[in-house]
Amino acid sequence: MEVRAKKALGQHFLTDQSIARAIVDALRNDPQAPRDVLEIGPGMGVLTQYLIKRDDIDPMMVEIDTESVEYLLTHFAGMQGKLIEGDYLRLNISKFFTDKYRIIGNFPYNISSQIFFKILEDKDKVPEVVCMIQKEVADRIAEGPGTKTYGILSVLLQAWYNIEYVLTVGPGAFAPPPKVKSAVIRLVRNERTELACDEKLFKTVVKMAFNQRRKTLRNALKQMTPEGMDTSDPVFDLRAERLSVDDFVALTRRFEQL
Ligand code: SAH
C-alpha cells in the first residue's frame, strides 16, 4: 500500500529517482561536516533510501504523518530509533542532537518559511541545509538586494548562510504534481559568528522595513522611531529592498544608540 497524498500536509511525493539521487548528492561529502543529518518529511522515503546508503552520514527522520511513518517502518529496515513521529515545527531538536547536524528534505511547501525560521533558531548547530521548496520561494531566498522578490527571509537567511541554487524541478516529477515549479537549494553556514548589532532588534527592523516595502524606510520604520531621532540620512529615503545584510546591521545600530 502506498501513502494517500494529503493536501493539508503538503504531500507531493517525488517520483523521479534521478532527481532524488541528485538531491541527496547535493549534501556535501565532507569529512569536516557532521555525520548527523535530519530529514524533514520523508514521506515514502524517496530521499531516505539514498540517505541510508551513504556511509558518511547517520540519518534521522521526522515525519508528522502516521500513515507515512507506518509505510517507512514496513518498507525500510533499521528505522527504529531513527524515525521520529511528530511535527518538526514543535520538536525540541536539542533533545535529539547534542552536537551539530545537517538538514535535508523535500519540505512541505505550505510551511517552508516556518521551517526556515525554525532552522535559524538553531543556526549555530546547522552548518548545511539541502532542500526542495517552491521555486518562487527559492528565488526569493537566493536573491540579493535591489530585486522585487528580495524580502525578510532573504535577509535573515543570507545573514548566516551562503545560498546556492542547485536545480529546478518541474511538477511532472511528483505524484500528485504540484501547481508550481520547485527548486533545490543548498544553504551553507557562513563565517559570521555574530551580528554587529542586537540580533532581536535587527529582526524587528528587517520585518518592519519589509512589511511596508513600498514605503521609504523613514515611513516604514516610523512606529519604532523615537521622537527627535535624526532620520535625515539618505538611507531613510530608500526602500527595504535596496539594503544588504550589512546595511541592515548599520541601520539597526542607529536605533540601538538611542
Ligand atoms: N520527502 C517525500 C515527501 C515530501 S512531501 C518526497 O520527496 O516524496 C512533504 C512531507 O512532509 C510529507 O511526507 C508530509 O507528511 C511531511 N510533513 C508535513 N508537515 C510536517 C511537519 N510539520 N513535520 C514533519 N513532517 C511534515
Side-chain angles (χ1 to χ4, degrees):
M1 267 289 280
E2 305 250 302
V3 174
R4 184 178 42 90
K6 297 160 209 76
K7 209 171 170 192
L9 295 179
Q11 289 181 339
H12 295 278
F13 298 109
L14 179 68
T15 50
D16 186 317
Q17 295 298 321
S18 61
I19 292 172
R21 196 174 318 200
I23 294 171
V24 172
D25 285 348
L27 201 66
R28 294 173 309 166
N29 187 343
D30 173 357
Q32 306 295 326
R35 290 187 59 85
D36 282 329
V37 171
L38 178 68
E39 184 189 1
I40 300 174
M44 286 190 280
V46 68
L47 299 182
T48 319
Q49 63 179 328
Y50 297 115
L51 282 171
I52 56 184
K53 278 192 198 132
R54 277 179 62 163
D55 52 20
D56 61 320
I57 59 179
D58 300 320
M60 290 269 285
M61 281 68 71
V62 57
E63 173 57 65
I64 199 169
D65 176 36
T66 308
E67 204 184 340
S68 295
V69 168
E70 279 165 12
Y71 181 95
L72 292 164
L73 290 174
T74 50
H75 287 76
F76 293 92
M79 281 284 131
Q80 258 82 16
K82 290 185 183 163
L83 179 56
I84 307 158
E85 180 171 353
D87 181 347
Y88 165 71
L89 295 176
R90 289 159 178 270
L91 203 68
N92 177 9
I93 293 280
S94 52
K95 221 169 68 185
F96 299 95
F97 302 104
T98 47
D99 223 329
K100 292 188 180 186
Y101 61 98
R102 298 188 278 170
I103 289 180
I104 192 166
N106 294 341
F107 291 171
Y109 296 175
N110 50 342
I111 58 163
S112 59
S113 297
Q114 292 168 67
I115 292 176
F116 287 122
F117 285 118
K118 170 116 180 177
I119 292 173
L120 280 169
E121 284 172 23
D122 216 16
K123 60 186 183 298
D124 289 331
K125 281 174 71 184
V126 183
E128 185 181 355
V129 180
V130 169
C131 59
M132 179 143 64
I133 50 179
Q134 198 177 323
K135 184 175 186 297
E136 195 192 306
V137 179
D139 289 338
R140 199 180 323 146
I141 289 173
E143 288 286 9
T147 54
K148 267 220 291 277
T149 51
Y150 183 66
I152 296 172
L153 258 188
S154 336
V155 177
L156 299 184
L157 283 172
Q158 287 170 27
W160 306 103
Y161 289 92
N162 296 330
I163 295 152
E164 303 159 48
Y165 194 93
V166 179
L167 68 122
T168 307
V169 182
F174 302 85
K179 288 202 177 70
V180 293
K181 277 192 188 164
S182 304
V184 180
I185 55 171
R186 176 171 46 222
L187 289 72
V188 177
R189 190 73 169 78
N190 61 24
E191 299 290 300
R192 204 190 290 271
T193 51
E194 56 186 30
L195 291 178
C197 66
D198 181 78
E199 210 178 313
K200 220 175 134 211
L201 191 59
F202 173 81
K203 276 189 241 170
T204 307
V205 169
V206 171
K207 283 183 187 166
M208 211 172 248
F210 279 105
N211 279 341
Q212 293 182 284
R213 59 180 302 146
R214 314 287 314 152
K215 294 193 178 173
T216 64
L217 292 169
R218 187 174 298 108
N219 287 326
L221 301 176
K222 197 158 240 159
Q223 255 188 17
M224 64 180 296
T225 309
E227 195 86 24
M229 177 178 162
D230 179 16
T231 58
S232 62
D233 191 283
V235 72
F236 288 100
D237 297 326
L238 301 174
R239 289 174 176 173
E241 65 201 36
R242 309 291 321 174
L243 270 59
S244 68
V245 170
D246 289 331
D247 294 336
F248 270 111
V249 169
L251 183 64
T252 304
R253 288 174 65 111
R254 290 173 182 272
F255 286 87
E256 259 178 11
Q257 288 154 7
L258 298 168

